[in-house]
Amino acid sequence: MMRSKITALFLGGLVAVAVFAGSTPVSPENVSSVQSCPLSLPQQLKAGQAFEKMMPVLKHPRCFNCHGGVNETLPAEDGGHLGGDVGTNDCLDCHVGVRNLNNSTRQWSTPPAPLFFKGRSSRDLCNQFKINTPNPELFIGHMINDNDDSQFAEAAYQGDRNLNAHGRAVSQEQTGHAMVPERPPVPHAQLVTYAREWANTVGAAGWKIPDCGCRIMGDRWEGTVTTEFTHVSAGYGTLKETQVATARFEIDSTFFHFLPGSDIPKDPWIVWKTTGGVLNWTVNATGGQCTTSASGSAPIILGGDGIPWGSIWIEPDSSTGDLKYSVQTGPWPDEYQPRFMYQCHNGDVNTSFPSNGYSFLGWWVHAPGATLVNGESLWGAPAADDRRGPSPLGTIKGSLTNTTELGTYKWVWDFKLVR
């Protein structure tokens, strides 16, 4: 029976691959991280960026509405289908069937709940595709032409919901204007390129491992930075200042996203900000005219200017194929500014004066262009002539010494990426 209303205006999107037994909706709460992701950190970053580039298509109505965005069993006033409650056999009233590669047509169908996109983040959808697709090749094939089956991708990219003449007339009657095709914002060939980049980067080795290729497989950097400063003079004798920072850095998501409607990252790097830790300091001066012994601590959370007290910036190093990092540390919070007194004697004259030391301007200083490699192969097997073996995955480790006219500074740091 022909209907005088829009029966399936929202249909015409990418229908995901078949559901396998035991499939359940994916969310961060039911994703296990027991297995270790074999991807290097640069590969994890590359995979995540490639998947984000597909999101404008996955969230577009021609895809999203079929995947749970619209409930075709409910009328529009109840948040459902614009054409009202429809059954499967009603679709061809207003729509042309979906073409197969042998040029036959099939009825419309929508995927089951485990393949819905509604209410799911990029991470959720990334895991969802991996759970419901046996391997990377089938995922790529689905994005190309549904692995030689029904051409839902073709229908989506026509943008006209495959409406027949009656459907177009009904659309104009209901909306007051002629139907204008609404195609996904990323060309189909480009979508396939992104799909290949993501799936091939994850690879068969990472495909069955939850979260692998869907996010950075680590929530935070944890470790220590030790700073030592030594100054020798007649006035202070041997002056030694030390700082031991035990810090935690977590991803600052405000720096890791794409420009709206674009496949270009706003910033091509990841920023990690301090969210916890403590810095303990000591000062000792002995053997000179002025002596002191003092200590204190400060929490490593926010700096005196209200921004994170420390940040780690990680970005690709095009010259080596690895990642390089830089470090920024904010000023001491005013309430934790280290203050202590020197007791000085010169013959029969004794005086005292306050100070805040030489080394307290920065608790972590690193050499420009430092990489996560630290002289070893961090992301895979070492070179043939390298007998030292690879460093642990996700390690920032190094040291720096600097001598000035005031004295000698040394920083040593060791951080690991953990969950």
Side-chain angles (χ1 to χ4, degrees), residues 29-298:
E29 288 70 31
N30 59 27
V31 168
S32 169
S33 60
V34 173
Q35 294 171 283
S36 176
C37 179
L39 303 184
S40 68
L41 197 57
Q43 290 171 325
Q44 292 177 39
L45 176 59
K46 178 182 177 181
Q49 289 180 331
F51 194 89
E52 286 291 340
K53 293 174 185 178
M54 293 190 286
M55 287 301 292
V57 176
L58 301 180
K59 292 296 187 181
H60 188 269
R62 298 288 71 76
C63 259
F64 182 78
N65 286 351
C66 277
H67 286 265
V70 172
N71 186 341
E72 71 274 19
T73 66
L74 295 175
E77 56 267 24
D78 295 328
H81 180 221
L82 185 63
D85 181 2
V86 298
T88 302
N89 295 327
D90 297 319
C91 295
L92 294 181
D93 288 352
C94 290
H95 296 271
V96 178
V98 182
R99 185 179 73 89
N100 286 350
L101 288 184
N102 60 9
N103 285 322
S104 63
T105 58
R106 60 163 289 183
Q107 179 62 277
W108 284 100
S109 62
T110 54
L115 298 179
F116 283 179
F117 295 170
K118 185 177 181 180
R120 295 175 187 168
S121 65
S122 300
R123 177 188 174 192
D124 296 335
L125 292 178
C126 180
N127 280 295
Q128 179 172 302
F129 284 133
K130 291 170 59 181
I131 287 175
N132 293 297
T133 315
N135 55 58
E137 291 75 20
L138 283 177
F139 173 78
I140 297 169
H142 173 68
M143 289 299 195
I144 295 173
N145 62 4
D146 203 25
N147 291 297
D148 295 334
D149 198 359
S150 302
Q151 300 304 289
F152 283 102
E154 177 183 82
Y157 270 91
Q158 287 173 182
D160 60 0
R161 305 154 194 167
N162 267 27
L163 290 173
N164 57 26
H166 174 68
R168 290 172 182 267
V170 171
S171 174
Q172 184 165 356
E173 175 188 323
Q174 296 292 321
T175 63
H177 58 80
M179 190 277 299
V180 177
E182 185 182 7
R183 297 179 177 87
V186 178
H188 186 218
Q190 191 64 61
L191 174 69
V192 172
T193 297
Y194 296 151
R196 289 186 190 278
E197 184 178 7
W198 173 67
N200 290 334
T201 301
V202 176
W207 198 256
K208 298 298 182 182
I209 300 174
D211 266 355
C212 187
C214 299
R215 66 191 294 261
I216 299 297
M217 293 290 285
D219 294 321
R220 59 196 182 277
W221 293 98
E222 291 184 349
T224 59
V225 180
T226 300
T227 308
E228 294 182 357
F229 170 73
T230 304
H231 167 88
V232 178
S233 67
Y236 295 102
T238 299
L239 168 65
K240 188 170 186 179
E241 301 172 1
T242 64
Q243 300 173 74
V244 180
T246 301
R248 178 176 70 249
F249 294 81
E250 298 181 10
I251 288 179
D252 186 347
S253 59
T254 62
F255 286 93
F256 185 45
H257 62 277
F258 291 79
L259 293 172
S262 171
D263 61 359
I264 302 174
K266 182 177 180 182
D267 297 294
W269 48 70
I270 315 175
V271 179
W272 309 71
K273 62 181 178 181
T274 48
T275 60
V278 63
L279 186 149
N280 295 304
W281 59 269
T282 62
V283 178
N284 286 283
T286 59
Q289 293 180 343
C290 297
T291 62
T292 190
S293 178
S295 62
S297 64

